[in-house]
Amino acid sequence: MWRYLKRVLIGKPLKTMDEGGQELTKFKALALLSSDALSSVAYGTEQITTVLITLSAAALMYQLWVAALVLVLLFAITLSYQQIIHAYPSGGGAYVVASTNWGQSAGLVAGGSLLVDYMLTVAVSTTSGTEAITSAIPALYPYSVLISVLIVIGIMLLNLRGMRESASFLTVPVYFFILMILGMVGFGLYNIASGNITYHAAAHVGTPVQGMTLLLFLRAFSSGSSSLTGVEAISNAVPNFKEPKRHNAAATLAIMAGILAIFFAGITYLSYYLGIRPQSSQTVLSQIASGVFGHGVLYYLLQLSTAAILAVAANTGFSAFPILAYNMAKDKFLPHAYLDRGDRLSYSNGIISLAVGAIVLILIFHGQTTLLIPLYAIGVFVPFVLSQSGMIIHWFRTREGWWLGKAAINLLGALISLALVITLLFLHFVNVWPYLIIMPLILWMFYRIHQHYQNVARQLRVAAKAKVEDHEYDGATVIVLVSNITRVTTGAINYAKSIGDYVIAMHVSFDENPKKEHKTAQEFKEEFPDIRFVDIHSSYRSIATPTLRFCDVIAKRAAERNFTTTVLVPQFVPRHPWQNVLHNQTALRLRTVLNSRENIIVSTYNYHLKE
């Protein structure tokens, strides 16, 4: 049943040779990897105006200057990540750049920040999409958390089906949103030029605003920079592109950055010109659409496209997280399970881990994750600082092409990103303080995992190279665990006799039914008179503890005689896998406790049922 359900949800397994068919064209990659960055224009300008309006309506004029600085940062980041794509095409983005140029610790900070950030991306995007849904259908508001979780599970299943199918699905909402925003910006600018829209700005550009400070400007800038989250995703997913991978990835990044710049600049200018002020009941984007389109069909289509792209923006995280986890697992800082591909050639364990992490965040914050946007932003800009400063070191080391100019661009991006990180830490400390606790814990986890893999490799390597003579044993002791006398017991005893010089049958009896226990001992002695039968009494209904204690004693005595000790655990295997839930898992528990002993060999005797 599970296999059938898996095939329905995920699809038939693909051959390894089919991997090329899962690679992305620029058209599909733009839909798959840009939804997070493009969707941020739905709230980027609003974040700026929400900060500036705290001073006065006239201060909203400064949103143009804030937007200009955000666009400068976008330009520097885009050029920087294009350079990263060409210099480090294996994917991993900021993690690989920081590790190579700043050292492993800096790389782990970048990688850990992005791993957490992708979980926040999924949580914030899905809850934002849910808010759009519940705004349209208020009756669904009590089910917001459930809807968010279902969206995450749906996108997870979509990605488990493979990149090609998820990209095909996302093409419609992403390009629909692009067309609607382009239409709104274009039509709005045309109406301004033709005089069809009245100028409503509270203050002209350049007018001094009393009370305006650099601190408030930086706070608005740090809030508006949330529009740049997701820009780095393409550099993490370079291996997913069709050949030539570097060229296609760099071109896709340039297209995405160009669209994002047009959207952000156009929406911010329309917001200023129309005199839009943030409201709790209506988003800034909705007010702009109302001012440009009125409340006709186009207005509702734009709202629909916004809700759709916010809901699917989480997919950017699902595309980038598995590749980043793969690179970190390859360096032995994450479990090797993240190196494995699933049936549909996607990194299934990374996809599932991301979904679980996002669902946990949604449940913890009850679907109200918008307060996490500053934490979400710092998780991106710390890697920005490390990757762009790392590229400066890269250019001074390689000195390729116009390396001084490239280094200057990286320096500009690094300085602005660093200023943003400092601003976020000081002005949004209430929201970002968890980062200072989470990151040390994540780094500790990375190092513990790495230490484990190093210890394993060292022990296995020493064992392989050591010149130790093969140990010759004088015989073998086999302990057969017996619950009652069945065909399984008979088969296990006969097998034990074939491999062991000395066979012991061990049974654990309880107080509940002494007659039954006595009968079991009698039946065994009649069936196997030449095999020693040991009955261990347990007053606490425990099988594992007395079994382990007895096996320890026998193993110690066997070692004195230079014998090996094997514990044979008999079990029957049902005809159908689902029938396993109808039986207790005593054999599994016994094998688990016995595996803790290095002087005991644990073996299983399986008896397969035919019906």
Side-chain angles (χ1 to χ4, degrees):
M1 182 180 291
W2 163 244
R3 288 197 296 269
Y4 176 75
L5 182 63
K6 186 179 178 182
R7 294 294 167 262
V8 171
L9 294 175
I10 299 175
K12 294 181 179 179
L14 296 173
K15 295 180 180 178
T16 305
M17 296 300 293
D18 294 334
E19 183 178 357
Q22 293 293 304
E23 293 175 342
L24 302 171
T25 61
K26 291 191 288 290
F27 182 81
K28 287 191 174 182
L30 186 64
L32 189 69
L33 299 169
S34 69
S35 55
D36 178 30
L38 296 180
S39 69
S40 63
V41 300
Y43 52 81
T45 299
E46 185 162 8
Q47 293 290 318
I48 297 172
T49 57
T50 300
V51 173
L52 294 175
I53 197 68
T54 57
L55 177 61
S56 64
L60 292 175
M61 179 268 296
Y62 284 95
Q63 67 184 294
L64 297 177
W65 304 115
V66 172
L69 188 55
V70 171
L71 291 176
V72 170
L73 180 58
L74 173 62
F75 175 75
I77 288 173
T78 301
L79 291 181
S80 177
Y81 274 102
Q82 281 189 316
Q83 296 165 8
I84 289 171
I85 287 169
H86 287 289
Y88 302 95
S90 62
Y95 165 70
V96 174
V97 176
S99 298
T100 304
N101 297 290
W102 280 117
Q104 199 64 65
S105 296
L108 293 176
V109 171
S113 296
L114 286 173
L115 288 176
V116 174
D117 190 70
Y118 288 135
M119 290 185 184
L120 289 168
T121 296
V122 175
V124 170
S125 298
T126 51
T127 52
S128 298
T130 300
E131 286 172 4
I133 294 170
T134 54
S135 297
I137 312 174
L140 295 177
Y141 183 78
Y143 309 102
S144 296
V145 172
L146 177 61
I147 293 170
S148 298
V149 170
L150 290 176
I151 291 174
V152 172
I153 293 173
I155 298 176
M156 177 193 75
L157 292 174
L158 184 66
N159 281 272
L160 289 174
R161 293 185 69 89
M163 287 182 298
R164 185 170 57 187
E165 291 198 31
S166 57
S168 299
F169 175 82
L170 292 170
T171 297
V172 175
V174 171
Y175 284 103
F176 178 41
F177 179 76
I178 289 174
L179 288 175
M180 290 307 302
I181 297 294
L182 280 176
M184 184 190 74
V185 171
F187 191 55
L189 294 177
Y190 170 77
N191 283 336
I192 289 174
S194 59
N196 293 330
I197 293 180
T198 307
Y199 179 74
H200 286 293
H204 293 287
V205 177
T207 303
V209 178
Q210 188 175 2
M212 188 64 191
T213 63
L214 178 61
L215 202 62
L216 185 64
F217 183 86
L218 289 175
R219 190 170 183 179
F221 175 54
S222 64
S223 297
S225 296
S226 60
S227 295
L228 303 185
T229 56
V231 172
E232 81 295 335
I234 291 176
S235 69
N236 286 327
V238 177
N240 292 335
F241 282 81
K242 283 185 175 294
E243 294 288 354
K245 295 180 185 292
R246 301 182 192 188
H247 172 77
N248 287 333
T252 304
L253 177 59
I255 295 169
M256 182 190 73
I259 295 172
L260 179 59
I262 292 170
F263 284 5
F264 185 69
I267 289 171
T268 304
Y269 181 73
L270 288 174
S271 171
Y272 161 74
Y273 194 90
L274 294 171
I276 302 296
R277 302 181 186 186
Q279 300 175 9
S280 58
S281 59
Q282 194 177 17
T283 64
V284 166
L285 188 62
S286 174
Q287 294 180 66
I288 294 172
S290 178
V292 173
F293 292 137
H295 279 278
V297 175
L298 290 176
Y299 168 80
Y300 288 104
L301 285 176
L302 186 133
Q303 289 296 90
L304 176 63
S305 70
T306 303
I309 198 168
L310 284 169
V312 302
N315 198 80
T316 297
F318 279 101
S319 303
F321 182 99
I323 298 293
L324 177 58
Y326 169 86
N327 279 281
M328 297 187 74
K330 188 171 62 176
D331 293 337
K332 303 185 187 303
F333 288 102
L334 280 179
H336 284 170
Y338 291 109
L339 299 173
D340 299 334
R341 290 183 180 269
D343 287 349
R344 302 287 293 180
L345 300 178
S346 57
Y347 293 107
S348 304
N349 293 322
I351 292 170
I352 294 170
S353 298
L354 176 59
V356 170
I359 289 172
V360 169
L361 284 172
I362 291 170
L363 294 176
I364 290 174
F365 293 97
H366 304 289
Q368 306 297 320
T369 52
T370 51
L371 294 175
L372 295 175
I373 286 180
L375 182 62
Y376 172 44
I378 199 170
V380 173
F381 284 107
V382 168
F384 279 0
V385 173
L386 292 171
S387 62
Q388 292 181 86
S389 57
M391 286 303 294
I392 297 173
I393 298 173
H394 171 81
W395 295 126
F396 272 87
R397 189 177 67 249
T398 60
R399 299 176 183 266
E400 297 173 349
W402 298 90
W403 64 274
L404 277 176
K406 293 175 181 178
I409 293 171
N410 295 141
L411 178 62
L412 175 64
L415 291 175
I416 298 177
S417 298
L418 180 61
L420 264 170
V421 170
I422 295 171
T423 303
L424 285 165
L425 284 172
F426 282 97
L427 300 184
H428 296 275
F429 186 77
V430 174
N431 300 109
V432 303
W433 66 264
Y435 182 86
L436 302 177
I437 296 175
I438 293 170
M439 279 313 301
L441 292 175
I442 290 176
L443 290 175
W444 176 80
M445 180 190 73
F446 289 156
Y447 283 118
R448 286 301 300 269
I449 292 172
H450 190 68
Q451 183 182 26
H452 168 75
Y453 283 127
Q454 284 184 320
N455 290 339
V456 170
R458 184 178 65 253
Q459 292 176 74
L460 295 178
R461 184 167 54 250
V462 170
K465 293 181 178 180
K467 297 180 179 179
V468 180
E469 294 182 3
D470 293 336
H471 185 81
E472 294 185 3
Y473 293 98
D474 296 329
T477 297
V478 181
I479 304 171
V480 182
L481 306 184
V482 176
S483 60
N484 46 40
I485 311 305
T486 63
R487 289 185 181 182
V488 185
T489 308
T490 302
I493 292 293
N494 289 332
Y495 174 70
K497 289 163 68 176
S498 71
I499 64 170
D501 299 288
Y502 181 50
V503 178
I504 306 172
M506 196 212 80
H507 173 71
V508 178
S509 61
F510 304 107
D511 293 328
E512 287 91 340
N513 198 338
K515 290 183 179 180
K516 179 184 176 183
E517 303 293 359
H518 181 68
K519 183 181 178 182
T520 300
Q522 278 190 327
E523 288 180 356
F524 186 88
K525 290 174 182 177
E526 291 172 2
E527 187 75 22
F528 306 102
D530 57 331
I531 301 298
R532 179 186 171 191
F533 181 82
V534 178
D535 184 7
I536 305 294
H537 180 74
S538 175
S539 299
Y540 296 96
R541 300 162 307 284
S542 170
I543 295 177
T545 302
T547 298
L548 189 61
R549 190 181 297 123
F550 176 79
C551 292
D552 281 340
V553 172
I554 297 300
K556 184 177 179 181
R557 293 177 181 175
E560 292 171 356
R561 300 172 56 195
N562 199 28
F563 272 40
T564 60
T565 301
T566 299
V567 178
L568 189 61
V569 184
Q571 68 176 18
F572 63 83
V573 180
R575 180 72 175 85
H576 301 289
W578 66 267
Q579 295 170 336
N580 280 302
V581 299
L582 304 177
H583 305 279
N584 61 38
Q585 303 299 317
T586 305
L588 177 62
R589 294 198 301 271
L590 288 170
R591 285 197 300 272
T592 300
V593 297
L594 289 167
N595 282 334
S596 65
R597 298 300 193 258
E598 61 178 288
N599 59 340
I600 294 176
I601 301 165
V602 183
S603 182
T604 304
Y605 177 83
N606 290 322
Y607 183 87
H608 291 264
L609 301 177
K610 305 300 182 184
E611 299 178 6

